[in-house]
Amino acid sequence: DEERFIELTDLQLRFFKHVSENDQIIVNGPAGSGKTIIAKTLAQDFLNDGKSVLFMCYNRTLANKIRYDFNRDEKELKVCTFHSLSREVISEFEPDWWDTVDKAAEDFWGLEVPAKLESFMSFMKDKYDVLIIDEGQDFKSFWFELVFQFLKEHSRKFIFMDKFQDIFGHFDGVPQQTSFTKFHLQENCRNTRSIVNYLETIVSK
């Protein structure tokens, strides 16, 4: 099973690299299909080529784990969540704003924060060559639009997601989806055949 795990992962990475010549790709795949592994490999490849990379995900714990997987001295890589990126940018231009708003409001992260962040976008100097988003199903459409503004003119975008894991009900599409190439990961690398067989005996009961 361990050998099969390695075989599937290598196969998917080689195949994805073959199609990654496209500038914009949406990758859809179930849990365990290797999305995060591929995303990190892509990021490292671009860093090795001298590109700056903005790597985003929804979960803060995952973002911290991903950052630790890279060289801590890597200056061309920024790993963050939409929440941490928003807080960083807004605090840079208006640090007292966070103390004047109701952070428990229902539309705080859906409307107030994005609107405030957008008001500072024209002042942003840091632009990235590559955007990689993991857990894309947890991003709101407006978040994508804002994050895209952190990119250089001829940037590349890779969005990894599993629509079946949209537990927060955030996902309502990626802006300009028709300009993205769609890629689907079908093989489950995390749950080996013996695990699946065992789970089937439990579920059937």
Side-chain angles (χ1 to χ4, degrees):
D1 287 335
E2 182 177 352
E3 292 176 356
R4 180 60 175 163
F5 174 86
I6 296 174
E7 177 185 345
L8 285 174
T9 302
D10 289 344
L11 175 63
Q12 291 177 347
L13 286 174
R14 289 197 303 270
F15 186 58
F16 183 78
K17 288 180 179 179
H18 176 71
V19 300
S20 65
E21 297 175 356
N22 298 281
D23 290 335
Q24 301 184 114
I25 299 178
I26 295 177
V27 182
N28 191 34
S33 58
K35 296 187 297 297
T36 301
I37 293 175
I38 294 174
K40 290 191 296 184
T41 302
L42 277 176
Q44 188 61 64
D45 287 347
F46 284 122
L47 291 171
N48 293 342
D49 289 339
K51 304 295 184 181
S52 56
V53 178
L54 176 60
F55 195 126
M56 301 189 68
C57 49
Y58 181 82
N59 186 283
R60 180 177 60 182
T61 302
L62 177 60
N64 291 336
K65 182 180 184 302
I66 289 174
R67 187 62 186 90
Y68 286 132
D69 288 338
F70 290 89
N71 189 330
R72 294 188 179 183
D73 298 325
E74 180 56 70
K75 298 180 180 180
E76 295 301 315
L77 171 68
K78 183 175 186 63
V79 182
C80 59
T81 65
F82 177 80
H83 302 74
S84 63
L85 180 64
S86 299
R87 180 174 289 277
E88 178 181 329
V89 173
I90 295 174
S91 296
E92 178 182 352
F93 294 98
E94 195 174 331
D96 296 333
W97 181 78
W98 298 96
D99 298 325
T100 65
V101 293
D102 180 10
K103 293 183 280 292
E106 183 178 353
D107 59 354
F108 181 69
W109 286 104
L111 293 177
E112 289 190 53
V113 171
K116 194 65 177 180
L117 178 61
E118 187 175 35
S119 69
F120 298 124
M121 291 308 301
S122 60
F123 303 105
M124 291 301 300
K125 296 181 180 179
D126 292 335
K127 299 287 185 176
Y128 296 87
D129 299 304
V130 181
L131 170 67
I132 297 175
I133 297 180
D134 199 5
E135 301 181 311
Q137 74 280 348
D138 294 324
F139 277 60
K140 296 177 180 290
S141 180
F142 195 20
W143 294 3
F144 285 112
E145 294 178 7
L146 287 171
V147 170
F148 290 170
Q149 296 183 50
F150 283 85
L151 304 176
K152 296 179 181 178
E153 184 177 354
H154 299 292
S155 62
R156 307 184 69 178
K157 306 182 188 77
F158 300 89
I159 302 174
F160 297 81
M161 66 175 61
D162 178 6
K163 295 180 181 179
F164 292 105
Q165 294 188 63
D166 180 21
I167 59 176
F168 301 105
H170 288 173
F171 187 74
D172 54 2
V174 177
Q176 304 174 351
Q177 285 196 54
T178 56
S179 63
F180 283 80
T181 298
K182 308 299 191 301
F183 183 79
H184 187 63
L185 294 171
Q186 297 178 323
E187 295 181 287
N188 191 317
C189 303
R190 183 185 303 158
N191 296 325
T192 60
R193 185 172 302 173
S194 61
I195 294 176
V196 173
N197 291 338
Y198 175 70
L199 290 175
E200 286 179 347
T201 64
I202 297 177
V203 173
S204 62
K205 295 179 181 179

